[in-house]
Amino acid sequence: MIDRHIGFVHALRETGLPVSLAEGLDAAHALRHIDLADRRTLREAYAATLVKRPQHREGFDVLFDLWFPSTTQGPPKQRDDDPEDLRSELAELLRGDPSAPEFRAFAQAMVERFGRVQAGPGRQSWFSYPVLRALSPQTLIARLLGERGGLPEKLARQRVTTNIAAFEAEVAADVRRRIAEEQGRERITRSAVRPPIDRRDFLRVTKAELAEMRREIHPLARRLATRLSMKHKKGDRGRLDFRRTVRASLQSGGVPLATHLKPRRPHKPELVVLTDASDSVAGFAQFTLLLTFALREQFTKVRAFAFVDTVDEITKYFAPGADVLDAVTRMTTEADISRFGRTDYGHVLKTFEERHASVLTPKTSLLILGDARSNYQPPNTETLKRLTEKVRHAYWLNPEPRNQWDTGDSVASGYAAVIPMHECRNVHQLAAFVEEIV
């Protein structure tokens, strides 16, 4: 059990779920107070001590099923029933409780019957798809609903759809279990669990994941605004309030024994975002718009510019409540950001200085987002240096892994010598960047 516990905690860390040493020890202590034979209690004991966020629960459950499977016995009894009879049996199960033991047992029997297929020359493996194709649970909905209408049909459809999803999940879990038993848990751990939303690569996110990221990014935007706010020098106590000081001195015969200072006004900085919108970083551009949406609420003024081989302002597309993907579509079709379609950072920097240098002031924070790949064109670092000298803060977020900087047409180090450049491929790294710039 100790080896199984250590392997499980290590697998959680490997897939990006944050589990500290202390939390692993808490989980081990919790196991002393429960019945280890009760799998449901075991799952919840681990979840209570190791899972910190709702977004991490799905990955936790997948790994728990791998390391503590519902059964490690031999294969269930071979079912040779006619496929149509099996579909009828499945239909009856879908009317009932998906947590019933018969529900899981049927899923495992169907994996045994249909799930093993040829995966290559002389090699077989387990798959969910042939099971679902043979039984076609989605086509059973009409049979299960019968003659209904209105609210009863809606409720019945919702229940059946939920039970079908539960059956598909049971099939997938049993397929993973069988693969793990044959090939080893460690081998399939990473492929079985998607990274948490805060560790998914910006360059590969889907529309649904962008919606999740929006919830993650808004708190970071508030913290970023705080970090970029004007910092007072040590020893600077503020400006003297002469009137209050003189008035207070009347109590001591005109001697100003105590001085009074004017309250500081909170500084809310301006922000200029300059983002690469080329095809190679299209997913990162969508994240950029998400971040810009969130930052608008925290800064006095946000000006956003996009570029490929020329640059144009895109602030007007940021209407409150606008869909990010719609904004990307408008930006690519309406904004003047591309002439030849090949990224040219040097020309973009020059054009930005000529057309928009006035937006950069000592109150401004400049945020550049891009991969620094300029198709072997001159990088024009001198222009970048002049732009960064105009602003209070300047940072560059690069969506590529650091080990790919300066490969091919990348001029990342050249720009990093002028402006601090940070690897930023996911929300987790964005949070680290926010903390680092304190």
Side-chain angles (χ1 to χ4, degrees), residues 93-99 103 137-138 141 144-145 154-170:
L93 290 170
L94 292 175
R95 289 191 176 98
D97 181 6
S99 63
F103 195 88
Q138 294 291 342
I141 294 179
L144 293 169
L145 292 179
K154 183 177 180 180
L155 294 176
R157 182 181 295 274
Q158 183 177 7
R159 185 183 69 253
V160 171
T161 302
T162 301
N163 288 354
I164 290 176
F167 175 73
E168 294 174 348
E170 288 288 356

Side-chain angles (χ1 to χ4, degrees), residues 189-205:
T189 291
R190 290 193 175 185
S191 61
V193 181
R194 294 202 65 192
I197 189 65
D198 62 337
R199 293 178 184 267
R200 294 182 194 169
D201 200 319
F202 291 136
L203 299 179
R204 297 178 178 83
V205 295

Side-chain angles (χ1 to χ4, degrees), residues 114-117 126-135:
F114 301 108
R116 194 174 187 92
V117 298
W126 299 94
F127 297 92
S128 299
Y129 174 72
V131 180
L132 302 179
R133 180 182 58 186
L135 299 176

Side-chain angles (χ1 to χ4, degrees), residues 208-227:
E209 291 170 342
L210 281 173
E212 287 188 72
M213 283 186 178
R214 189 175 306 192
R215 294 189 292 270
E216 300 286 332
I217 287 174
H218 274 278
L220 287 177
R222 290 193 294 269
R223 288 159 60 189
L224 180 60
T226 302
R227 299 295 189 263

Side-chain angles (χ1 to χ4, degrees), residues 17 49 101 148 178 223 232 243 288 324 343 360 371 390:
L17 274 67
T49 51
R148 300 172 185 263
R178 292 168 185 267
R223 288 159 60 189
H232 296 278
R243 179 177 297 179
T288 300
V324 173
T343 312
L360 303 179
D371 58 5
K390 292 175 176 288

Side-chain angles (χ1 to χ4, degrees), residues 146-409:
E147 297 294 332
R148 300 172 185 263
L151 182 60
E153 178 178 344
K154 183 177 180 180
L155 294 176
R157 182 181 295 274
Q158 183 177 7
R159 185 183 69 253
V160 171
T161 302
T162 301
N163 288 354
I164 290 176
F167 175 73
E168 294 174 348
E170 288 288 356
V171 169
D174 195 56
V175 166
R176 287 193 296 266
R177 176 184 67 83
R178 292 168 185 267
I179 296 175
E181 289 177 355
E182 293 183 358
Q183 302 181 14
R185 299 182 192 88
E186 295 81 359
R187 184 171 180 178
I188 70 167
T189 291
R190 290 193 175 185
S191 61
V193 181
R194 294 202 65 192
I197 189 65
D198 62 337
R199 293 178 184 267
R200 294 182 194 169
D201 200 319
F202 291 136
L203 299 179
R204 297 178 178 83
V205 295
T206 64
K207 185 175 182 178
E209 291 170 342
L210 281 173
E212 287 188 72
M213 283 186 178
R214 189 175 306 192
R215 294 189 292 270
E216 300 286 332
I217 287 174
H218 274 278
L220 287 177
R222 290 193 294 269
R223 288 159 60 189
L224 180 60
T226 302
R227 299 295 189 263
L228 297 180
S229 295
M230 186 179 297
K231 298 179 177 63
H232 296 278
K233 296 179 180 179
K234 291 183 179 180
D236 180 11
R237 300 172 57 198
R239 297 175 60 188
L240 176 68
D241 189 330
F242 184 77
R243 179 177 297 179
R244 290 181 60 201
T245 301
V246 171
R247 185 177 299 169
S249 70
L250 297 178
Q251 301 178 9
S252 55
V255 180
L257 297 180
T259 57
H260 293 266
L261 305 175
K262 293 182 179 180
R264 293 193 182 102
R265 295 181 180 179
H267 175 69
K268 204 173 184 183
E270 300 173 1
L271 178 67
V272 172
V273 179
L274 184 61
T275 179
D276 186 345
S278 59
D279 291 341
S280 62
V281 290
F284 188 54
Q286 295 176 23
F287 150 74
T288 300
L289 295 183
L290 269 182
L291 180 60
T292 306
F293 281 173
L295 289 172
R296 285 191 67 187
E297 301 176 0
Q298 309 300 325
F299 288 79
T300 303
K301 184 187 299 182
V302 174
R303 301 282 294 273
F305 298 84
F307 66 88
V308 178
D309 53 9
T310 188
V311 62
D312 194 14
E313 184 168 5
I314 59 172
T315 310
K316 59 186 177 182
Y317 306 125
F318 292 93
D323 182 79
V324 173
L325 295 182
D326 291 341
V328 171
T329 301
R330 290 191 62 193
M331 177 187 72
T332 55
T333 57
E334 301 177 19
D336 181 21
I337 60 177
S338 178
R339 300 291 174 84
F340 304 104
R342 294 174 62 84
T343 312
D344 187 344
Y345 276 79
H347 178 70
V348 165
L349 293 171
K350 179 181 178 181
T351 305
F352 182 81
E353 183 182 40
E354 293 173 351
R355 298 179 183 176
H356 308 292
S358 60
V359 304
L360 303 179
T361 70
K363 295 182 180 180
T364 303
S365 293
L366 174 63
L367 194 59
I368 301 178
L369 305 105
D371 58 5
R373 293 190 176 274
S374 195
N375 287 291
Y376 302 101
Q377 301 299 317
N380 206 352
T381 55
E382 289 300 321
T383 300
L384 179 62
K385 184 176 181 180
R386 289 195 297 271
L387 294 176
T388 57
E389 289 173 348
K390 292 175 176 288
V391 299
R392 170 170 284 280
H393 304 287
Y395 300 99
W396 188 310
L397 302 184
N398 192 324
E400 287 195 335
R402 189 177 295 272
N403 59 14
Q404 295 181 16
W405 295 5
D406 299 325
T407 62
D409 60 344

